[in-house]
Amino acid sequence: MTKIAKLYENLKKIQEPKGYFFNKDRTIVFELLEGLIANKDRYGYMACPCRLASGERDNDKDIICPCVYRKPDVEEYGSCYCSLYVSKEWNEEKIEKEYVPERRPPEKTFF
């Protein structure tokens, strides 16, 4: 089993009981998981691959996957910012797929 497949299975077991599901588009999911693994190798933690990490854990705590923005994003839009985690309704196309705006404060992205 590849690192990506292992991470997929582990996160799925942890997150689905909490109501967070992987996007049904496996291509997107596996690309994002690959990015998480790359960031873990690079920084020592799994920073969200769709955001710019500083490499300083304290500054990036909010974007360590699952990021602190996931819950409000999924509650409001059915998907997190990068669409890794989604609601069941989002995957079943019972809700409209909308653009999820960036919630991370701009001052966190300039370092």
Side-chain angles (χ1 to χ4, degrees), residues 4-22:
I4 296 169
K6 226 182 252 187
L7 181 60
Y8 177 89
E9 290 303 323
N10 288 337
L11 292 176
K12 184 176 177 175
K13 279 188 261 184
I14 294 167
Q15 300 303 327
E16 281 191 1
K18 297 176 184 179
Y20 298 103
F21 299 87
F22 281 129

Side-chain angles (χ1 to χ4, degrees), residues 25 29 36 45 54 56-57 60 65 67 76-78 82 85:
D25 184 334
V29 170
L36 287 173
Y45 52 91
S54 69
E56 295 178 25
R57 187 180 191 93
D60 294 337
C65 190
C67 72
E76 190 172 344
Y77 298 99
C82 63
Y85 289 109

Side-chain angles (χ1 to χ4, degrees), residues 5-103:
K6 226 182 252 187
L7 181 60
Y8 177 89
E9 290 303 323
N10 288 337
L11 292 176
K12 184 176 177 175
K13 279 188 261 184
I14 294 167
Q15 300 303 327
E16 281 191 1
K18 297 176 184 179
Y20 298 103
F21 299 87
F22 281 129
N23 185 327
K24 67 181 179 180
D25 184 334
R26 291 274 175 95
T27 302
I28 289 171
V29 170
F30 277 60
E31 286 175 0
L32 290 167
L33 293 178
E34 185 176 17
L36 287 173
I37 291 168
N39 283 343
K40 171 94 170 148
D41 292 342
R42 183 179 298 129
Y43 304 121
Y45 52 91
M46 291 195 306
C48 181
C50 62
R51 293 184 166 103
L52 188 58
S54 69
E56 295 178 25
R57 187 180 191 93
D58 285 343
N59 188 60
D60 294 337
K61 279 192 253 185
D62 61 325
I63 59 167
I64 295 175
C65 190
C67 72
V68 300
Y69 312 107
R70 178 186 70 172
K71 183 178 182 190
D73 285 351
V74 173
E75 285 175 357
E76 190 172 344
Y77 298 99
S79 166
C80 69
Y81 181 67
C82 63
S83 299
L84 176 63
Y85 289 109
V86 301
S87 68
K88 187 176 181 184
E89 295 78 17
W90 192 93
N91 261 344
E92 293 173 350
E93 299 183 21
K94 292 181 179 176
I95 60 173
E96 186 179 336
K97 294 179 179 165
E98 298 180 56
Y99 169 76
V100 179
E102 174 64 274
R103 291 181 192 266

